[in-house]
């Protein structure tokens, strides 16, 4: 007697494959949605140029006087620094493990400095590109004892990639509310000494235009690679 072999219909395999891919897509989509904003309040309001010279900052339940921002004087800063933005291959590396940033143009080290990455929320890892630069903006978020309000955050370079949207507000920027560099201190951004952020701000492309700039198709990419695990 010849035993009849039962074959699983092709459409059943196809259905299982589609269901599995749908599950993977759902998990990835959910994980992206769960990436918090770097600043839970201001990233929902505005990531634009902002100057508030008459306001006080709040961080760790302490009031702080922010730096005064003079946009008219900013146009002369690049000339004073002597930094020329070029079309060279520029790459910024942020090592979360050692809390350091290194900026290279080709094989030449332009700047190395200590930073502070995310403490309350993790700084995202991966390869990113700068999508907006502003001379100054406001950052705020948290609640209760963790509430912070930081006007006039200087030299802000927002970055994003295909997973971390620009609207989430992650950036490299100057810092005036703490001096504890080398240790995690942020809500997800990369805190830098203001003098170092100033140098990177004018060194990276695109050059600031009226204190704010957005890359175009012809703008050379400045790659930001963030890796490692914060202590």
């Amino acid at each position: 007697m010849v035993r009849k072999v039962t074959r699983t219909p092709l459409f059943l395999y196809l259905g299982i494959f589609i269901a599995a891919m749908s599950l993977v897509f759902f998990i990835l989509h959910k994980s992206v949605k769960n990436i918090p904003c770097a600043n839970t309040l201001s990233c929902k309001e505005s990531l634009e140029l902002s100057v508030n010279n008459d306001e006080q900052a709040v961080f760790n339940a302490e009031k702080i006087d922010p730096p005064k921002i003079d946009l008219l004087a900013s146009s002369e800063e690049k000339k004073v620094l002597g930094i020329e933005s070029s079309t060279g291959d520029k790459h910024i590396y942020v090592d979360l493990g050692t809390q350091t940033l290194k900026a290279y143009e080709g094989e030449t080290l332009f700047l190395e400095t200590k930073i502070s990455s995310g403490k309350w929320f993790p700084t995202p890892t991966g390869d990113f590109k700068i999508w907006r630069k502003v001379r100054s903006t406001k950052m705020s978020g948290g609640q209760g004892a963790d509430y912070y309000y930081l006007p006039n955050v200087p030299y802000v370079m927002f970055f994003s990639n295909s997973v971390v949207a620009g609207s989430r507000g992650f950036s490299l920027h100057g810092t005036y509310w703490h001096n504890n560099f080398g240790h995690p201190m942020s809500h997800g951004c990369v805190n830098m000494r203001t003098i170092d952020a100033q140098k990177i701000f004018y060194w990276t492309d695109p050059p600031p235009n009226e204190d704010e700039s957005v890359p175009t198709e012809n703008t050379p990419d400045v790659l930001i690679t963030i890796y490692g695990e914060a202590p």
Side-chain angles (χ1 to χ4, degrees):
M1 178 182 293
V2 178
R3 179 177 295 179
K4 186 177 181 180
V5 178
T6 303
R7 295 184 178 180
T8 304
L10 180 60
F11 71 84
L12 183 58
Y13 286 119
L14 182 60
I16 294 173
F17 175 77
I18 293 175
M21 293 304 295
S22 298
L23 179 61
V24 170
F25 177 79
F26 173 77
I27 293 173
L28 290 175
H29 182 70
K30 186 176 181 181
S31 66
V32 171
K33 286 286 188 181
N34 287 337
I35 296 175
C37 287
N39 302 283
T40 53
L41 296 178
S42 57
C43 75
K44 297 176 182 178
E45 298 170 359
S46 175
L47 301 176
E48 304 292 330
L49 176 70
S50 172
V51 177
N52 300 279
N53 286 331
D54 299 324
E55 297 183 347
Q56 275 195 314
V58 177
F59 185 76
N60 276 352
E62 294 185 4
K63 292 184 178 181
I64 305 166
D65 291 325
K68 304 296 183 183
I69 302 294
D70 184 353
L71 295 181
L72 294 177
S74 296
S75 60
E76 298 298 318
E77 286 184 350
K78 185 177 177 182
K79 297 178 182 178
V80 173
L81 287 171
I83 297 172
E84 292 296 333
S85 182
S86 69
T87 58
D89 182 18
K90 297 177 180 179
H91 199 149
I92 297 171
Y93 296 90
V94 178
D95 185 340
L96 300 181
T98 60
Q99 295 287 288
T100 56
L101 176 149
K102 294 181 180 180
Y104 287 88
E105 184 162 4
E107 299 295 324
T108 303
L109 179 65
F110 171 72
L111 178 72
E112 179 176 357
T113 186
K114 288 292 185 181
I115 56 94
S116 290
S117 67
K119 175 181 179 180
W120 287 270
F121 295 104
T123 299
T125 56
D127 290 329
F128 303 89
K129 294 179 181 178
I130 295 173
W131 69 272
R132 179 185 293 276
K133 293 167 57 174
V134 293
R135 173 64 180 82
S136 170
T137 195
K138 177 185 70 176
M139 296 184 179
S140 60
Q143 56 185 343
D146 184 39
Y147 171 76
Y148 61 95
Y149 180 82
L150 303 170
N152 291 5
V153 177
Y155 306 109
V156 182
M157 294 155 277
F158 291 109
F159 58 79
S160 65
N161 62 15
S162 60
V163 175
V164 181
S167 60
R168 298 192 182 276
F170 290 98
S171 66
L172 311 173
H173 59 71
T175 309
Y176 61 81
W177 50 93
H178 78 81
N179 194 36
N180 194 30
F181 300 101
H183 305 276
M185 285 292 294
S186 82
H187 290 76
C189 288
V190 177
N191 289 184
M192 302 177 65
R193 295 183 178 92
T194 297
I195 186 62
D196 294 330
Q198 181 190 46
K199 292 176 182 178
I200 294 293
F201 184 81
Y202 290 113
W203 176 75
T204 53
D205 297 299
N209 180 22
E210 296 182 356
D211 307 301
E212 184 173 9
S213 59
V214 177
T216 66
E217 292 182 357
N218 298 322
T219 302
D221 291 329
V222 178
L223 192 62
I224 300 173
T225 299
I226 303 176
Y227 63 96
E229 185 174 346

